Amino acid sequence: MARTLDLAPWAGRWVAVDSDSHVRSDAASLTELLAALAEANLNDVEVMRAPAPDDPVVYGLG
């Protein structure tokens, strides 16, 4: 089953999303997000960049 995420509030930021599709953490850069996840000991999250409104749409491997 495909899931649809509404990441508009975090547009352009890096986010960590749990299996219930909730954003657990966000940061301006991937490095900052990974550091925050390590500090908070957050596991089992999917890390991605929330697309900004002007980002091109990428399908497959881009």
Side-chain angles (χ1 to χ4, degrees):
M1 173 192 285
R3 68 178 175 173
T4 302
L5 299 173
D6 179 13
L7 298 176
W10 299 276
R13 296 182 60 80
W14 285 89
V15 296
V17 181
D18 66 16
S19 60
D20 293 324
S21 299
H22 296 116
V23 174
R24 300 290 309 271
S25 186
D26 70 293
S29 72
L30 178 57
T31 303
E32 292 173 14
L33 179 61
L34 294 177
L37 293 176
E39 185 176 319
N41 198 25
L42 279 175
N43 299 313
D44 297 327
V45 292
E46 184 178 351
V47 173
M48 67 187 77
R49 184 176 173 277
D54 58 342
D55 284 350
V57 176
V58 178
Y59 293 97
L61 298 175

